[in-house]
Amino acid sequence: MNKNSLIYVAGHTGLIGSAIVRKLLKAGYKNLILKSHRELDLTNQKKTEAFFRKNKPEYLFLAAAKVGGIFANDTYPADFIYQNIMIQTNIIDTSYKYGVRKLLNLGSACIYPKYCKQPIKEESLLTGSIEPTNEPYAVAKIAGIKLCQSYNRQFGTNFISVIPANVYGINDYFDKGGHVVAGLIKKFYEAKIKGYDSVTVWGTGKPRREFLYVDDLADACIFLMKKYSGNEAINVGRGRDTSIADLARILKKIAEFKGKIIFDTSKPDGMPQRLLDSGKITALGWRAKTDIEKGLRITYEWYKKSIAGK
Ligand code: GDP
């Protein structure tokens, strides 16, 4: 991939896609193809194919997906499995047909078994049952990885897959259907502004997640696009996890909220722990740069200015 390559970032308005675009532009890649959901419905095979026929991208970041937190996954399982299977199948197959030189597919750490040896190595994939709250989404994402691997084996394509830790950052989705960081930022912000006595955190607060700032993931994706061509999916994390209770305490401090934190144990915890072994990408020479407090502060300030302030 060089500065003049024709690069399609699928899903460029989302959390991860928009961060990849920011990084690419900053690094001097000028030839980006970007299509909003309204302009191109990637669940539609004919439209996807017509788009590839016309645009012929050389490199592709597959960040288009139906995503959401524990509540959305549990409430809309059909949307999660259907849309993700359709989007990735259309893109991956059409990329093969139209000769995309390299494709980077984004997986998710929730594809690993619910009870998995920590930190989780790539080899743990498909060694146990998946956490039920996100199983339909996870099955779709596993299929995406298997599609890439199978096309590589059968057709000699260069389609790689990345498995990121829990990603958060600017441009995240801050409503009830979103992930925990965005959900809690909104809750603490509103509690502070409206003078509430308490903030309710779902579950026991005990689950542990590895929170990765989105710009670090975007950096890793561009790094891997340039440096990695293996058939094995590759983990991307920062090597440290945080309990949901500690996450809530950090956000409470950032929001300068003086009230209580209440845990609603009627809500699901999901996977007890999810910490990736990122030894493979580290060995290639990549490392995350943003510590959790800094990433949360940037995201909180962005939310205040760009979402809450509007
Ligand atoms: P997961 O990482 O796939 O389980 O998805 P989430 O990011 O949605 O949730 C992570 C953990 O945070 C789960 O244990 C949730 O129950 C917990 N959690 C606590 N409060 C919230 C909240 O306000 N929103 C979300 N999405 N999760 C929360």
Side-chain angles (χ1 to χ4, degrees):
M1 188 169 76
N2 64 47
K3 301 285 154 77
N4 295 314
S5 301
L6 194 52
I7 305 167
Y8 172 38
V9 181
H12 75 283
T13 56
L15 169 68
I16 298 174
S18 63
I20 292 174
V21 169
R22 280 198 304 276
K23 282 262 168 207
L24 285 171
L25 290 174
K26 204 167 163 206
Y29 294 91
K30 300 175 287 286
N31 254 332
L32 307 189
I33 311 172
L34 309 172
K35 287 273 170 215
S36 69
H37 197 151
R38 212 172 296 144
E39 292 170 297
L40 173 61
D41 176 4
L42 290 165
T43 64
N44 183 307
Q45 193 178 17
K46 277 205 177 114
K47 288 183 180 160
T48 306
E49 193 153 346
F51 163 77
F52 273 74
R53 199 179 310 123
K54 185 164 168 227
N55 292 281
K56 300 210 172 51
E58 293 174 289
Y59 293 86
L60 198 155
F61 290 89
L62 206 181
K66 166 84 180 162
V67 294
I70 199 161
F71 171 78
N73 267 275
D74 217 18
T75 316
Y76 309 106
D79 293 348
F80 277 84
I81 190 162
Y82 172 77
Q83 290 185 30
N84 286 304
I85 284 181
M86 294 302 282
I87 292 168
Q88 70 201 16
T89 305
N90 287 337
I91 291 190
I92 292 167
D93 183 61
T94 315
S95 292
Y96 157 61
K97 286 188 183 140
Y98 287 87
V100 167
R101 295 163 77 131
K102 190 163 181 180
L103 176 149
L104 182 145
N105 169 48
L106 276 147
S108 159
C110 74
I111 64 178
Y112 286 118
K114 174 166 185 171
Y115 300 105
C116 207
K117 189 166 172 275
Q118 309 280 327
I120 309 171
K121 283 192 190 294
E122 289 87 349
E123 299 88 85
S124 294
L125 189 61
L126 293 173
T127 57
S129 323
I130 293 164
E131 152 63 34
T133 49
N134 57 235
E135 193 190 65
Y137 173 75
V139 166
K141 284 281 156 185
I142 293 170
I145 292 173
K146 292 293 158 193
L147 271 166
C148 290
Q149 293 172 339
S150 305
Y151 276 65
N152 291 344
R153 263 180 55 206
Q154 193 175 333
F155 303 125
T157 49
N158 190 0
F159 296 167
I160 62 169
S161 293
V162 169
I163 305 180
N166 277 49
V167 187
Y168 70 96
I170 68 172
N171 278 333
D172 206 342
Y173 180 67
F174 289 82
D175 282 321
K176 197 179 174 189
H179 287 99
V180 61
V181 171
L184 290 184
I185 283 180
K186 184 176 182 189
K187 285 183 191 172
F188 279 106
Y189 175 80
E190 288 184 352
K192 166 78 182 169
I193 295 295
K194 296 180 181 163
Y196 296 159
D197 296 333
S198 63
V199 161
T200 303
V201 174
W202 299 344
T204 59
K206 289 189 183 131
R208 302 186 69 83
R209 296 288 181 272
E210 182 181 10
F211 296 108
L212 180 67
Y213 187 59
V214 71
D215 283 7
D216 284 339
L217 175 61
D219 191 53
C221 288
I222 295 165
F223 173 89
L224 291 170
M225 190 62 123
K226 292 199 283 203
K227 297 244 159 97
Y228 179 73
S229 282
N231 208 29
E232 283 301 305
I234 186 159
N235 286 340
V236 179
R238 47 185 287 277
R240 301 184 68 163
D241 62 354
T242 308
S243 72
I244 300 302
D246 282 342
L247 171 73
R249 282 191 274 272
I250 300 171
L251 288 173
K252 177 179 161 161
K253 188 173 84 183
I254 292 173
E256 296 173 348
F257 172 66
K258 303 286 180 238
K260 281 194 302 235
I261 296 173
I262 293 171
F263 293 96
D264 176 0
T265 52
S266 70
K267 295 281 194 306
D269 268 348
M271 232 164 130
Q273 188 181 16
R274 204 193 277 157
L275 172 64
L276 299 178
D277 182 327
S278 299
K280 261 173 135 181
I281 189 168
T282 313
L284 291 173
W286 183 88
R287 214 171 263 284
K289 295 186 189 78
T290 317
D291 77 39
I292 185 155
E293 281 228 26
K294 182 176 172 205
L296 291 174
R297 265 184 204 283
I298 297 170
T299 311
Y300 186 83
E301 291 307 322
W302 182 86
Y303 171 78
K304 228 164 102 173
K305 202 171 88 217
S306 310
I307 307 272
K310 282 199 174 159

